[in-house]
Amino acid sequence: MTVRSFLNLEHPDNMTTLDLIRMALRNLWRTRLRSSLTILGVMIGIGALISMVAFGSGMEKNISDAFTSSGLFSRITITPVKLDMNRPMESLTDTSGISVPLDDELLEKIRLIPGVEEAYGEIQQPAKVAWKENETTLTYTGVSPEVGKTKAYQNLLAGTFLTSDTLGQAVISTDLLRRLKIRIDSEDMERAKKKDTANIYTYLKAEDLIGDTLLLSTATFHPMQMMGALTGNQEANPLSERVSPLVIVGVREGESDGPADRSNTDLLIPEGFATTIPSIGFNSITEFLRKGSGKPDKYATIQVTVANPNNLTPVRQELEKMGLKVFALAEQMKEIRRAFLAVNAVLGVVGFIALIVAGLGIINTLLMSILERTREIGIMKAIGGSEGQIKSVFFGEAAVIGLVGAIGGIILGWLVTLAAGAIINMKIKEMGEVPVDLFYFPWWLIIGSIGFAIGLSLIAGLYPAARAARIDPVEALRWS
Amino acid sequence: MAFIEIDHIRKIYRKATVTVPAVNDISFVIEKGEFLAIVGKSGSGKSTLLNLLGGLDTPTSGEIRFEGENLFAEGKDGLVRHRRHRVGMVFQSFQLIPGQTAAENIELALAFGGVSRTERHTRALELLAQVGLAERANHYPTELSGGEAQRVAIARALANDPDILLADEPTGNLDTQNGDIVLSILQDLHRQGRTIIMITHDPDMAQVAQRTIRMQDGQLLEAL
């Protein structure tokens, strides 16, 4: 069943769509003030709908683009299997589920999985880091200089990535600098300095830090000394500290958003160098327990990248089969997308309500028009117009209102988002952040809103058109 | 078989509790090519009869047969076809569509009648020339005199070349001079072979008709 037969529109070849549109335009022109107000209603409805949805789409796009460009979508992270501390004590030494240590042997195996682009391990240890008199604690990460080629580490502000595997080099993030009371925000330096009345911060350019030295303090644990301490030897200290100097080779953008957040990648040092630093020996009770039962983890995490995002799922499944605990952000993104769908739906509903109001406006306008043109409808019937043709005339008017309203609404919505985007980005710049495209108009939104507006207009035209078609010509011709 | 057979036609209007028989059991025949005048006071039911003949209204009971075929047998579709092709109607108050020019008013009737887009305008101009108004094609109804407007209305009634012209007091709103012009056009159309059925309250106008029937209280009073 076609739409036309459903609407019972008689539409012979002689009365073409063009005729209908011409007639509709003419009738709308006759009552131009009322028509333009009705069209304005549709424009506002469509404008509200598309700017709302464009805002939601823009947020989603910004987040997903950020992830894509950072390479996080093509990355799988392998972490050691965590022990369930609620399980009975004896099962903690059950190593069946944690039998695969994260070491070079595993790395080689992973590199052989089809679809894997690169796999590299990260050594992570707690430490204290000092620059001049300022110090902070963190977890540093030891990585191969090779990983500097991956997307995730392309955000250098100054200097280079690690150039050697064995030298004491450091790539530090802006987040870490902030914790070390160093500011390199070049743009608002003057203003920041004025606010900083207590002179807490040191103000530098990122380039000035290259070649400077950081002091990394790590602790190491001596089991024998521990025994001594337990047996009452006052001299025995199971913990000793070692300080390693690190030359800053690069400064990179921090990965966290707020000042309180910190990331394990705030301090990157060469993997080879990291293995020479005596460490406390284990990160966790898991590692401690595993030391007694099997081979230790060399790496805290293993990062696996895939060349093609489509390979992500098969690679992940392969890794899971090997008994590894894996995490892939791309798969989390499905959840995020679902959340955005909900956000878009809510934003869409607000715009939809505006359109419903516009639809009522169309009904009102057409009913008024029918009242005024009752006699005309009678004449049309008397000279051979069928009910279907009379319906078509009013549907034509409704469709023109919808189409003009939709195109106008898209332009209106676009202008509004342009203005809103400019104002918001001005504020963002004042805060010293990078401006973003807040709104995004996917093609389906444009096509969809035109279709939706015309559809809504036709639905709004249903009742008035049926009413017009039912007018009794004898009564109508008597109308004055 | 007569051209038009009006067979025990009855139209009763129900208003609240009272029923008003506007046309009350009328039967007569009209021959092809006849010029018939229907006279009677207002409220005599003559307009209701004309609307029934024009397929604008449906009877409470009875039939009207055109060449043996009951007009009301096929419901709305049959009535639409009847109005499009078999009859043309002319009214006392012209009934032109105000927002459209003389030519466009005629073109709309042509469109309903199935004439293609390209032919419509040419045909409309021919029809206007036929009633002597070729130069008024692009004028709006408000810019036309009463006589001109009624001639445009006649041209429109002829758009789809109907056999029958139904005229409801066509000269009622016109002065004598314009009334005479309209009347002579109707006479011409009659001479060309069309069946003309005209309502009038003016006995002089009825003179031009071949036959006059008089109505009173919804019934045929006499055949003159």
Side-chain angles (χ1 to χ4, degrees):
Chain A
M1 184 193 246
T2 63
V3 175
R4 188 174 291 155
S5 66
F6 172 72
L7 295 174
N8 188 25
L9 297 183
E10 190 185 332
H11 192 85
D13 300 335
N14 55 333
M15 210 158 162
T16 57
T17 315
L18 197 68
D19 283 324
L20 278 176
I21 291 171
R22 253 182 40 170
M23 205 157 164
L25 285 174
R26 171 163 249 168
N27 286 334
L28 293 174
W29 185 249
R30 262 156 69 185
T31 53
R32 41 196 166 276
L33 177 64
R34 196 168 61 208
S35 302
S36 43
L37 288 174
T38 311
I39 289 170
L40 187 65
V42 178
M43 276 170 64
I44 291 169
I46 287 286
L49 182 76
I50 71 158
S51 48
M52 291 280 186
V53 177
F55 180 63
S57 304
M59 279 204 295
E60 187 180 345
K61 191 173 184 291
N62 284 335
I63 288 176
S64 94
D65 282 358
F67 279 126
T68 309
S69 67
S70 66
L72 289 177
F73 272 169
S74 52
R75 192 203 283 186
I76 301 171
T77 303
I78 302 169
T79 53
V81 179
K82 285 242 162 60
L83 287 185
D84 182 358
M85 290 304 176
N86 292 325
R87 285 160 70 197
M89 198 54 200
E90 54 269 30
S91 72
L92 284 177
T93 48
D94 171 15
T95 54
S96 59
I98 52 170
S99 57
V100 190
L102 306 186
D103 56 14
D104 291 319
E105 199 184 315
L106 180 66
L107 268 183
E108 287 309 316
K109 268 195 234 164
I110 290 171
R111 286 189 180 121
L112 293 175
I113 297 173
V116 170
E117 183 186 51
E118 183 54 89
Y120 57 89
E122 292 178 343
I123 293 171
Q124 287 175 348
Q125 291 295 341
K128 190 171 76 181
V129 66
W131 182 82
K132 297 193 176 157
E133 67 274 19
N134 296 317
E135 56 179 48
T136 183
T137 53
L138 49 59
T139 299
Y140 66 83
T141 296
V143 293
S144 158
E146 288 293 303
V147 308
K149 292 174 193 160
T150 61
K151 267 187 187 172
Y153 296 112
Q154 297 299 318
N155 51 352
L156 284 171
L157 295 172
T160 62
F161 198 70
L162 302 170
T163 54
S164 156
D165 194 35
T166 50
L167 295 176
Q169 295 183 335
V171 173
I172 57 177
S173 79
T174 50
D175 291 335
L176 175 59
L177 288 178
R178 205 174 295 131
R179 297 213 300 278
L180 289 171
K181 308 283 185 268
I182 302 169
R183 298 206 62 163
I184 55 158
D185 320 87
S186 49
E187 267 188 45
D188 290 317
M189 188 90 85
E190 290 310 313
R191 212 165 59 178
K193 264 188 195 168
K194 263 179 216 157
K195 272 191 200 165
D196 184 16
T197 45
N199 268 326
I200 293 167
Y201 285 96
T202 307
Y203 297 90
L204 288 173
K205 280 184 182 157
E207 293 78 23
D208 298 340
L209 281 163
I210 307 301
D212 216 340
T213 306
L214 284 180
L215 296 177
L216 184 74
S217 306
T218 48
T220 187
F221 176 70
H222 307 283
M224 294 317 289
Q225 297 280 352
M226 173 88 172
M227 294 309 288
L230 289 172
T231 50
N233 184 347
Q234 299 294 319
E235 298 293 305
N237 182 352
L239 291 172
S240 68
E241 189 181 302
R242 194 172 118 185
V243 178
S244 319
L246 298 171
V247 177
I248 299 169
V249 295
V251 178
R252 56 192 286 269
E253 193 74 59
E255 281 171 10
S256 61
D257 287 329
D261 290 320
R262 51 184 66 193
S263 156
N264 288 350
T265 55
D266 283 339
L267 176 61
L268 299 171
I269 66 170
E271 182 199 316
F273 181 75
T275 53
T276 67
I277 299 174
S279 70
I280 198 154
F282 50 84
N283 265 341
S284 62
I285 191 81
T286 319
E287 207 175 320
F288 176 69
L289 289 168
R290 193 182 288 157
K291 273 195 163 163
S293 62
K295 287 197 281 179
D297 285 327
K298 178 181 175 191
Y299 301 115
T301 60
I302 290 178
Q303 303 290 353
V304 181
T305 58
V306 291
N308 181 340
N310 292 336
N311 290 334
L312 196 99
T313 305
V315 169
R316 181 184 59 81
Q317 284 165 350
E318 198 60 36
L319 293 171
E320 275 175 346
K321 258 187 244 162
M322 293 164 72
L324 298 167
K325 182 175 158 36
V326 301
F327 170 84
L329 194 77
E331 302 196 331
Q332 305 298 305
M333 196 60 198
K334 283 180 190 159
E335 291 296 317
I336 296 174
R337 277 187 204 283
R338 210 167 296 151
F340 269 110
L341 205 64
V343 171
N344 275 344
V346 171
L347 291 171
V349 162
V350 176
F352 186 74
I353 290 168
L355 264 185
I356 294 295
V357 176
L360 295 175
I362 294 174
I363 296 177
N364 198 17
T365 296
L366 290 179
L367 286 178
M368 277 285 273
S369 172
I370 285 161
L371 204 65
E372 285 172 353
R373 280 151 62 192
T374 300
R375 205 164 76 114
E376 199 175 309
I377 294 162
I379 296 169
M380 293 206 296
K381 283 196 166 179
I383 64 173
S386 67
E387 289 192 1
Q389 283 168 329
I390 285 157
K391 270 188 197 174
S392 299
V393 170
F394 285 92
F395 274 126
E397 281 174 42
V400 168
I401 291 174
L403 181 71
V404 177
I407 293 169
I410 288 167
I411 296 169
L412 182 74
W414 180 67
L415 290 176
V416 165
T417 57
L418 216 62
I423 292 167
I424 293 166
N425 272 328
M426 215 160 71
K427 293 277 170 204
I428 288 177
K429 270 188 210 154
E430 269 176 31
M431 286 157 62
E433 302 284 335
V434 188
V436 287
D437 281 334
L438 286 164
F439 300 95
Y440 171 59
F441 292 90
W443 64 268
W444 56 262
L445 183 60
I446 307 291
I447 307 289
S449 54
I450 293 178
F452 189 62
I454 294 177
L456 179 94
S457 307
L458 290 180
I459 290 169
L462 272 177
Y463 171 68
R467 197 167 146 161
R470 273 205 312 271
I471 283 175
D472 174 12
V474 177
E475 288 287 327
L477 289 170
R478 237 179 263 153
W479 197 277
S480 52
Chain B
M1 180 179 67
F3 185 50
I4 305 170
E5 293 170 291
I6 292 129
D7 185 5
H8 295 287
I9 202 84
R10 193 193 293 265
K11 178 71 187 181
I12 297 166
Y13 288 110
R14 288 189 171 76
K15 283 177 184 166
T17 50
V18 279
T19 57
V20 185
V23 172
N24 199 356
D25 196 14
I26 288 179
S27 298
F28 66 102
V29 296
I30 301 165
E31 294 304 331
K32 194 173 173 74
E34 205 178 341
F35 193 144
L36 178 74
I38 303 172
V39 296
K41 288 179 192 155
S42 66
S44 62
K46 53 192 194 311
S47 284
T48 303
L49 179 62
L50 200 79
N51 287 336
L52 287 165
L53 283 164
L56 285 179
D57 211 348
T58 49
T60 308
S61 65
E63 285 184 2
I64 297 178
R65 288 185 293 273
F66 288 81
E67 295 174 308
E69 185 189 315
N70 182 15
L71 171 58
F72 308 107
E74 281 180 63
K76 282 176 181 171
D77 289 347
L79 294 178
V80 169
R81 275 202 306 279
H82 177 75
R83 295 195 296 252
R84 261 183 207 167
H85 300 293
R86 199 146 51 191
V87 298
M89 293 191 83
V90 178
F91 303 90
Q92 181 176 3
S93 51
F94 324 133
Q95 306 286 23
L96 295 177
I97 294 176
Q100 300 186 346
T101 64
E104 284 167 345
N105 263 281
I106 299 167
E107 283 169 42
L108 184 61
L110 287 165
F112 287 143
V115 179
S116 74
R117 264 187 74 74
T118 44
E119 273 177 64
R120 269 181 237 158
H121 192 63
T122 329
R123 185 97 178 83
L125 293 180
E126 280 169 20
L127 286 159
L128 282 171
Q130 217 177 310
V131 294
L133 287 174
E135 80 287 357
R136 307 295 264 170
N138 295 323
H139 287 251
Y140 286 89
T142 46
E143 299 163 353
L144 300 171
S145 74
E148 287 171 332
Q150 193 60 299
R151 279 144 72 195
V152 173
I154 293 170
R156 183 180 64 183
L158 298 173
N160 295 306
D161 198 21
D163 288 336
I164 306 156
L165 199 69
L166 303 173
D168 191 348
E169 306 237 19
T171 60
N173 280 6
L174 303 178
D175 55 35
T176 319
Q177 195 193 343
N178 277 308
D180 285 345
I181 297 171
V182 165
L183 211 57
S184 70
I185 291 171
L186 293 179
Q187 280 176 298
D188 283 346
L189 293 170
H190 174 232
R191 270 194 290 276
Q192 286 162 20
R194 285 194 170 80
T195 307
I196 316 280
I197 302 165
M198 177 179 75
I199 289 177
T200 180
H201 61 270
D202 183 346
D204 290 343
M205 290 290 170
Q207 291 300 313
V208 302
Q210 290 171 313
R211 183 158 71 113
T212 302
I213 58 172
R214 190 176 295 277
M215 280 185 74
Q216 191 179 308
D217 300 332
Q219 285 182 313
L220 229 52
L221 199 62
E222 60 192 292
L224 297 174

